[in-house]
Amino acid sequence: MRKMKRGIIAKMALGLFLLFVSMPLMAQEYRSDYLIRDGQVFYDYVPMETADFRTFRVLGKGYAKDRYHVYLDGKILAYVDPLTFRLLGEGYAPEYEEAEPYGRNRAGEGYFKSNFDVFYNGRKLEGASASTFREIGAGYAKDAFRVYYRGRLLEDATSSTFREIGGGYAKDSFRVYYCGRELADASASTFVYSGKGYGRDTFNTYFLGRKISD
C-alpha cells in the first residue's frame, strides 16, 4: 500500500514538473508581438503607421485586423477584406494564404507627389517642394527645406541632416524625435536606436519615446 501511494505521489510530482516546464514554451508559441500604447499600434516595437488603434484587434498566429486592413506579422495583406476575414482551422484562412504583404493599400493613403505638389492622405502639403520631396521611412519625409511626419510639418527639424534611425525614432544634428514628437532631453549627437522600442544617448534610456532612466 505504501509503495502504491509513493508511486502515485511520484507520478503526480512528475506531471506537475512537466506542466511547469512546458508553460514557458506554450507562452512563447502563442505570444503576440502586437502592442497598443498611447493611441499607437506597434509590431515588434515598431510603429504601424496605417493601423487604426480604435478598432485594432489581435487574431492570433501573427494575424490582426482593424476597420481598414488585415495584417500578418505587422504587414498589410493586399486585397483582403477585414470585414469578412476570419482565422480557420490551423490558424489561417486558406483562400488568403498566398496574399502578398505590403505597406499600404488604401486609396489616397500616405504621401503622393505630382509634378508640382505633394499630398498626404489627399491633403496638399503647402510649401512642400515636389522636385526634392522624398519619403525616408516610418512616416517621415522631407524636401530640401522641410521635414514632415505623417503629413505634419516638423517646424524645428533641419532637413539637410534629418534621418530616420529605426523604431519610430529620427534625428537631425540638434534634435531627436519619436513618432514625430521631439524628445526634449535627448542628445542628438549620441542618440541611437537599440531595438525593441528602446533608444538611448549618453545619459538617458527611452522606451517607445518615453525616458525611463537618467
Short mmCIF file of all heavy atoms in Angstrom, two decimals, residues 111-114 116-119 124-137 139-149 151-155 157-163 172:
data_model
loop_
_atom_site.label_atom_id
_atom_site.label_comp_id
_atom_site.label_asym_id
_atom_site.label_seq_id
_atom_site.Cartn_x
_atom_site.Cartn_y
_atom_site.Cartn_z
N TYR A 111 1.91 59.39 -48.58
CA TYR A 111 2.39 60.52 -49.36
C TYR A 111 2.21 60.26 -50.86
O TYR A 111 2.29 59.12 -51.32
CB TYR A 111 3.87 60.76 -49.09
CG TYR A 111 4.18 61.22 -47.69
CD1 TYR A 111 4.66 60.33 -46.73
CD2 TYR A 111 4.02 62.55 -47.31
CE1 TYR A 111 4.96 60.74 -45.45
CE2 TYR A 111 4.32 62.98 -46.03
CZ TYR A 111 4.79 62.07 -45.11
OH TYR A 111 5.09 62.49 -43.83
N PHE A 112 1.99 61.33 -51.59
CA PHE A 112 1.91 61.26 -53.05
C PHE A 112 2.38 62.60 -53.59
O PHE A 112 2.08 63.65 -53.02
CB PHE A 112 0.47 61.00 -53.51
CG PHE A 112 0.29 61.13 -55.00
CD1 PHE A 112 0.65 60.09 -55.83
CD2 PHE A 112 -0.21 62.30 -55.56
CE1 PHE A 112 0.50 60.20 -57.21
CE2 PHE A 112 -0.37 62.42 -56.93
CZ PHE A 112 -0.01 61.37 -57.76
N LYS A 113 3.12 62.55 -54.69
CA LYS A 113 3.53 63.82 -55.30
C LYS A 113 3.25 63.82 -56.79
O LYS A 113 3.41 62.81 -57.48
CB LYS A 113 4.99 64.12 -55.01
CG LYS A 113 6.01 63.19 -55.64
CD LYS A 113 7.43 63.67 -55.31
CE LYS A 113 8.48 62.79 -55.98
NZ LYS A 113 9.85 63.30 -55.71
N SER A 114 2.79 64.95 -57.27
CA SER A 114 2.60 65.18 -58.70
C SER A 114 3.82 65.94 -59.21
O SER A 114 4.83 66.05 -58.51
CB SER A 114 1.31 65.97 -58.93
OG SER A 114 1.42 67.26 -58.36
N PHE A 116 4.14 69.05 -59.44
CA PHE A 116 4.34 70.33 -58.77
C PHE A 116 3.96 70.32 -57.29
O PHE A 116 4.39 71.20 -56.53
CB PHE A 116 3.54 71.43 -59.48
CG PHE A 116 3.86 71.57 -60.94
CD1 PHE A 116 3.00 71.06 -61.89
CD2 PHE A 116 5.04 72.16 -61.35
CE1 PHE A 116 3.31 71.17 -63.24
CE2 PHE A 116 5.35 72.30 -62.68
CZ PHE A 116 4.48 71.79 -63.64
N ASP A 117 3.13 69.36 -56.84
CA ASP A 117 2.60 69.39 -55.48
C ASP A 117 2.85 68.07 -54.75
O ASP A 117 3.05 67.03 -55.37
CB ASP A 117 1.09 69.68 -55.50
CG ASP A 117 0.77 71.03 -56.10
OD1 ASP A 117 1.32 72.03 -55.63
OD2 ASP A 117 -0.02 71.06 -57.07
N VAL A 118 2.77 68.15 -53.42
CA VAL A 118 2.90 66.97 -52.57
C VAL A 118 1.65 66.86 -51.71
O VAL A 118 1.13 67.87 -51.22
CB VAL A 118 4.15 67.07 -51.66
CG1 VAL A 118 4.27 65.81 -50.79
CG2 VAL A 118 5.41 67.27 -52.49
N PHE A 119 1.16 65.62 -51.51
CA PHE A 119 -0.07 65.38 -50.76
C PHE A 119 0.16 64.30 -49.71
O PHE A 119 1.03 63.44 -49.85
CB PHE A 119 -1.20 64.92 -51.70
CG PHE A 119 -1.48 65.87 -52.83
CD1 PHE A 119 -0.74 65.81 -54.02
CD2 PHE A 119 -2.48 66.83 -52.71
CE1 PHE A 119 -1.01 66.68 -55.05
CE2 PHE A 119 -2.74 67.71 -53.74
CZ PHE A 119 -2.00 67.63 -54.92
N LYS A 124 -3.14 68.54 -49.51
CA LYS A 124 -1.94 69.17 -50.07
C LYS A 124 -1.05 69.71 -48.96
O LYS A 124 -1.53 70.35 -48.02
CB LYS A 124 -2.35 70.31 -51.01
CG LYS A 124 -1.17 71.01 -51.68
CD LYS A 124 -1.64 72.10 -52.62
CE LYS A 124 -0.46 72.85 -53.22
NZ LYS A 124 -0.90 73.92 -54.15
N LEU A 125 0.24 69.43 -49.06
CA LEU A 125 1.21 69.96 -48.10
C LEU A 125 1.71 71.29 -48.63
O LEU A 125 2.56 71.35 -49.54
CB LEU A 125 2.38 68.99 -47.92
CG LEU A 125 2.01 67.57 -47.48
CD1 LEU A 125 3.27 66.75 -47.23
CD2 LEU A 125 1.13 67.59 -46.24
N GLU A 126 1.17 72.36 -48.08
CA GLU A 126 1.51 73.70 -48.55
C GLU A 126 3.00 73.97 -48.35
O GLU A 126 3.55 73.73 -47.27
CB GLU A 126 0.69 74.75 -47.80
CG GLU A 126 -0.81 74.66 -48.04
CD GLU A 126 -1.20 74.94 -49.48
OE1 GLU A 126 -0.38 75.58 -50.20
OE2 GLU A 126 -2.30 74.53 -49.89
N GLY A 127 3.65 74.44 -49.40
CA GLY A 127 5.06 74.80 -49.32
C GLY A 127 6.02 73.67 -49.63
O GLY A 127 7.23 73.91 -49.79
N ALA A 128 5.53 72.43 -49.71
CA ALA A 128 6.41 71.30 -49.98
C ALA A 128 6.91 71.34 -51.42
O ALA A 128 6.16 71.65 -52.35
CB ALA A 128 5.70 69.98 -49.71
N SER A 129 8.17 71.02 -51.62
CA SER A 129 8.78 71.02 -52.94
C SER A 129 8.74 69.63 -53.55
O SER A 129 9.43 68.72 -53.09
CB SER A 129 10.24 71.49 -52.84
OG SER A 129 10.92 71.27 -54.04
N ALA A 130 7.92 69.45 -54.57
CA ALA A 130 7.77 68.13 -55.19
C ALA A 130 9.07 67.64 -55.81
O ALA A 130 9.37 66.45 -55.80
CB ALA A 130 6.66 68.17 -56.24
N SER A 131 9.87 68.55 -56.34
CA SER A 131 11.09 68.15 -57.04
C SER A 131 12.14 67.55 -56.10
O SER A 131 12.96 66.73 -56.52
CB SER A 131 11.69 69.35 -57.78
OG SER A 131 12.04 70.38 -56.86
N THR A 132 12.11 67.93 -54.82
CA THR A 132 13.11 67.42 -53.87
C THR A 132 12.50 66.54 -52.79
O THR A 132 13.21 66.04 -51.92
CB THR A 132 13.88 68.57 -53.20
OG1 THR A 132 12.95 69.40 -52.48
CG2 THR A 132 14.60 69.42 -54.24
N PHE A 133 11.19 66.34 -52.84
CA PHE A 133 10.49 65.62 -51.78
C PHE A 133 10.77 64.12 -51.88
O PHE A 133 10.75 63.52 -52.95
CB PHE A 133 8.99 65.86 -51.88
CG PHE A 133 8.20 65.31 -50.72
CD1 PHE A 133 7.95 66.09 -49.61
CD2 PHE A 133 7.72 64.01 -50.75
CE1 PHE A 133 7.23 65.59 -48.54
CE2 PHE A 133 7.00 63.50 -49.69
CZ PHE A 133 6.76 64.30 -48.59
N ARG A 134 10.99 63.48 -50.71
CA ARG A 134 11.15 62.03 -50.68
C ARG A 134 10.78 61.48 -49.31
O ARG A 134 10.95 62.15 -48.29
CB ARG A 134 12.58 61.62 -51.03
CG ARG A 134 13.65 62.12 -50.09
CD ARG A 134 15.04 61.82 -50.64
NE ARG A 134 16.10 62.29 -49.77
CZ ARG A 134 16.69 61.54 -48.85
NH1 ARG A 134 16.32 60.27 -48.68
NH2 ARG A 134 17.66 62.03 -48.10
N GLU A 135 10.24 60.27 -49.29
CA GLU A 135 9.95 59.58 -48.04
C GLU A 135 11.23 58.94 -47.51
O GLU A 135 12.02 58.40 -48.27
CB GLU A 135 8.90 58.50 -48.27
CG GLU A 135 7.54 59.03 -48.66
CD GLU A 135 6.49 57.94 -48.74
OE1 GLU A 135 6.29 57.25 -47.72
OE2 GLU A 135 5.89 57.77 -49.81
N ILE A 136 11.41 58.99 -46.20
CA ILE A 136 12.62 58.40 -45.62
C ILE A 136 12.30 57.29 -44.63
O ILE A 136 13.21 56.73 -44.01
CB ILE A 136 13.50 59.48 -44.95
CG1 ILE A 136 12.73 60.24 -43.88
CG2 ILE A 136 14.03 60.45 -46.00
CD1 ILE A 136 13.59 61.26 -43.14
N GLY A 137 11.01 56.95 -44.47
CA GLY A 137 10.63 55.80 -43.67
C GLY A 137 9.90 56.14 -42.39
O GLY A 137 10.05 57.23 -41.84
N GLY A 139 6.91 56.97 -41.68
CA GLY A 139 6.03 58.13 -41.68
C GLY A 139 6.74 59.45 -41.89
O GLY A 139 6.10 60.49 -42.06
N TYR A 140 8.06 59.43 -41.89
CA TYR A 140 8.84 60.65 -42.07
C TYR A 140 9.11 60.89 -43.56
O TYR A 140 9.29 59.95 -44.34
CB TYR A 140 10.18 60.55 -41.35
CG TYR A 140 10.09 60.48 -39.84
CD1 TYR A 140 10.18 59.27 -39.17
CD2 TYR A 140 9.91 61.64 -39.09
CE1 TYR A 140 10.10 59.20 -37.79
CE2 TYR A 140 9.83 61.58 -37.71
CZ TYR A 140 9.92 60.37 -37.06
OH TYR A 140 9.84 60.31 -35.70
N ALA A 141 9.18 62.15 -43.92
CA ALA A 141 9.52 62.56 -45.29
C ALA A 141 10.13 63.95 -45.22
O ALA A 141 9.98 64.66 -44.22
CB ALA A 141 8.28 62.56 -46.17
N LYS A 142 10.82 64.32 -46.30
CA LYS A 142 11.43 65.65 -46.30
C LYS A 142 11.66 66.13 -47.72
O LYS A 142 11.72 65.32 -48.67
CB LYS A 142 12.74 65.65 -45.53
CG LYS A 142 13.87 64.84 -46.16
CD LYS A 142 15.14 64.94 -45.31
CE LYS A 142 16.33 64.24 -45.96
NZ LYS A 142 17.57 64.41 -45.17
N ASP A 143 11.75 67.45 -47.87
CA ASP A 143 12.23 68.03 -49.11
C ASP A 143 13.52 68.79 -48.78
O ASP A 143 14.12 68.57 -47.72
CB ASP A 143 11.17 68.92 -49.77
CG ASP A 143 10.75 70.11 -48.93
OD1 ASP A 143 11.48 70.47 -47.98
OD2 ASP A 143 9.68 70.69 -49.21
N ALA A 144 13.93 69.69 -49.64
CA ALA A 144 15.21 70.36 -49.43
C ALA A 144 15.22 71.23 -48.18
O ALA A 144 16.29 71.50 -47.61
CB ALA A 144 15.56 71.20 -50.65
N PHE A 145 14.03 71.65 -47.72
CA PHE A 145 13.98 72.61 -46.63
C PHE A 145 13.12 72.19 -45.44
O PHE A 145 13.27 72.70 -44.34
CB PHE A 145 13.45 73.96 -47.14
CG PHE A 145 14.22 74.50 -48.31
CD1 PHE A 145 13.72 74.39 -49.59
CD2 PHE A 145 15.46 75.09 -48.13
CE1 PHE A 145 14.43 74.89 -50.67
CE2 PHE A 145 16.18 75.59 -49.20
CZ PHE A 145 15.67 75.48 -50.48
N ARG A 146 12.19 71.25 -45.64
CA ARG A 146 11.21 70.93 -44.61
C ARG A 146 11.21 69.43 -44.30
O ARG A 146 11.55 68.61 -45.14
CB ARG A 146 9.81 71.36 -45.04
CG ARG A 146 9.69 72.85 -45.33
CD ARG A 146 8.34 73.16 -45.97
NE ARG A 146 8.20 74.56 -46.30
CZ ARG A 146 8.70 75.13 -47.39
NH1 ARG A 146 9.35 74.40 -48.29
NH2 ARG A 146 8.53 76.43 -47.62
N VAL A 147 10.75 69.11 -43.09
CA VAL A 147 10.61 67.72 -42.66
C VAL A 147 9.17 67.49 -42.20
O VAL A 147 8.58 68.36 -41.54
CB VAL A 147 11.59 67.39 -41.51
CG1 VAL A 147 11.42 65.94 -41.05
CG2 VAL A 147 13.03 67.65 -41.93
N TYR A 148 8.63 66.32 -42.51
CA TYR A 148 7.23 66.00 -42.19
C TYR A 148 7.15 64.65 -41.49
O TYR A 148 7.97 63.75 -41.73
CB TYR A 148 6.38 65.93 -43.46
CG TYR A 148 6.34 67.21 -44.24
CD1 TYR A 148 7.34 67.50 -45.17
CD2 TYR A 148 5.32 68.15 -44.05
CE1 TYR A 148 7.31 68.68 -45.90
CE2 TYR A 148 5.29 69.33 -44.78
CZ TYR A 148 6.29 69.58 -45.70
OH TYR A 148 6.27 70.76 -46.43
N TYR A 149 6.15 64.54 -40.62
CA TYR A 149 5.80 63.24 -40.05
C TYR A 149 4.32 63.01 -40.28
O TYR A 149 3.48 63.76 -39.79
CB TYR A 149 6.09 63.16 -38.55
CG TYR A 149 5.65 61.84 -37.94
CD1 TYR A 149 6.35 60.67 -38.21
CD2 TYR A 149 4.51 61.76 -37.15
CE1 TYR A 149 5.94 59.45 -37.70
CE2 TYR A 149 4.10 60.55 -36.63
CZ TYR A 149 4.82 59.39 -36.91
OH TYR A 149 4.40 58.18 -36.41
N GLY A 151 2.54 63.70 -42.72
CA GLY A 151 1.94 64.89 -43.31
C GLY A 151 1.99 66.13 -42.45
O GLY A 151 1.58 67.21 -42.89
N ARG A 152 2.50 66.00 -41.24
CA ARG A 152 2.58 67.16 -40.34
C ARG A 152 3.99 67.75 -40.39
O ARG A 152 4.98 67.03 -40.25
CB ARG A 152 2.25 66.74 -38.91
CG ARG A 152 2.38 67.85 -37.87
CD ARG A 152 1.83 67.41 -36.52
NE ARG A 152 2.50 66.24 -36.01
CZ ARG A 152 3.63 66.27 -35.30
NH1 ARG A 152 4.24 67.43 -35.06
NH2 ARG A 152 4.17 65.15 -34.84
N LEU A 153 4.07 69.05 -40.57
CA LEU A 153 5.35 69.73 -40.65
C LEU A 153 6.02 69.74 -39.28
O LEU A 153 5.42 70.13 -38.28
CB LEU A 153 5.15 71.16 -41.14
CG LEU A 153 6.40 72.05 -41.23
CD1 LEU A 153 7.37 71.51 -42.28
CD2 LEU A 153 6.01 73.49 -41.54
N LEU A 154 7.28 69.32 -39.23
CA LEU A 154 8.08 69.42 -38.01
C LEU A 154 8.84 70.74 -38.08
O LEU A 154 9.88 70.85 -38.75
CB LEU A 154 9.04 68.23 -37.90
CG LEU A 154 8.39 66.83 -37.89
CD1 LEU A 154 9.45 65.76 -37.69
CD2 LEU A 154 7.31 66.73 -36.83
N GLU A 155 8.31 71.72 -37.41
CA GLU A 155 8.75 73.12 -37.56
C GLU A 155 10.24 73.31 -37.36
O GLU A 155 10.89 74.05 -38.08
CB GLU A 155 7.98 74.01 -36.58
CG GLU A 155 6.47 74.04 -36.81
CD GLU A 155 6.07 75.00 -37.93
OE1 GLU A 155 6.97 75.68 -38.47
OE2 GLU A 155 4.88 75.06 -38.25
N ALA A 157 12.77 70.98 -37.29
CA ALA A 157 13.68 69.96 -37.81
C ALA A 157 14.52 70.53 -38.96
O ALA A 157 14.05 71.32 -39.77
CB ALA A 157 12.89 68.75 -38.29
N THR A 158 15.76 70.09 -39.03
CA THR A 158 16.69 70.51 -40.07
C THR A 158 16.76 69.46 -41.17
O THR A 158 17.27 68.35 -40.95
CB THR A 158 18.10 70.73 -39.48
OG1 THR A 158 18.01 71.69 -38.42
CG2 THR A 158 19.06 71.24 -40.55
N SER A 159 16.26 69.79 -42.34
CA SER A 159 16.13 68.81 -43.41
C SER A 159 17.46 68.21 -43.84
O SER A 159 17.56 67.01 -44.08
CB SER A 159 15.44 69.45 -44.62
OG SER A 159 15.41 68.56 -45.71
N SER A 160 18.49 69.03 -43.94
CA SER A 160 19.76 68.56 -44.51
C SER A 160 20.40 67.43 -43.72
O SER A 160 21.11 66.60 -44.27
CB SER A 160 20.74 69.73 -44.63
OG SER A 160 20.98 70.31 -43.35
N THR A 161 20.14 67.38 -42.42
CA THR A 161 20.75 66.34 -41.58
C THR A 161 19.73 65.36 -40.99
O THR A 161 20.10 64.46 -40.25
CB THR A 161 21.55 66.97 -40.43
OG1 THR A 161 20.66 67.79 -39.62
CG2 THR A 161 22.67 67.85 -40.96
N PHE A 162 18.46 65.55 -41.32
CA PHE A 162 17.40 64.73 -40.72
C PHE A 162 17.42 63.33 -41.33
O PHE A 162 17.50 63.15 -42.55
CB PHE A 162 16.04 65.36 -40.95
CG PHE A 162 14.95 64.75 -40.13
CD1 PHE A 162 14.62 65.27 -38.89
CD2 PHE A 162 14.25 63.65 -40.59
CE1 PHE A 162 13.60 64.71 -38.12
CE2 PHE A 162 13.24 63.08 -39.83
CZ PHE A 162 12.92 63.61 -38.60
N ARG A 163 17.31 62.31 -40.46
CA ARG A 163 17.25 60.93 -40.94
C ARG A 163 16.45 60.06 -39.96
O ARG A 163 16.42 60.33 -38.76
CB ARG A 163 18.64 60.35 -41.14
CG ARG A 163 19.52 60.33 -39.91
CD ARG A 163 20.97 60.04 -40.30
NE ARG A 163 21.87 60.07 -39.15
CZ ARG A 163 22.23 58.99 -38.47
NH1 ARG A 163 21.78 57.79 -38.82
NH2 ARG A 163 23.06 59.09 -37.44
N ASP A 172 18.00 64.91 -36.31
CA ASP A 172 18.87 65.75 -37.12
C ASP A 172 20.10 66.09 -36.27
O ASP A 172 20.38 65.40 -35.28
CB ASP A 172 18.14 66.99 -37.64
CG ASP A 172 17.61 67.88 -36.52
OD1 ASP A 172 18.10 67.77 -35.36
OD2 ASP A 172 16.72 68.70 -36.78
#
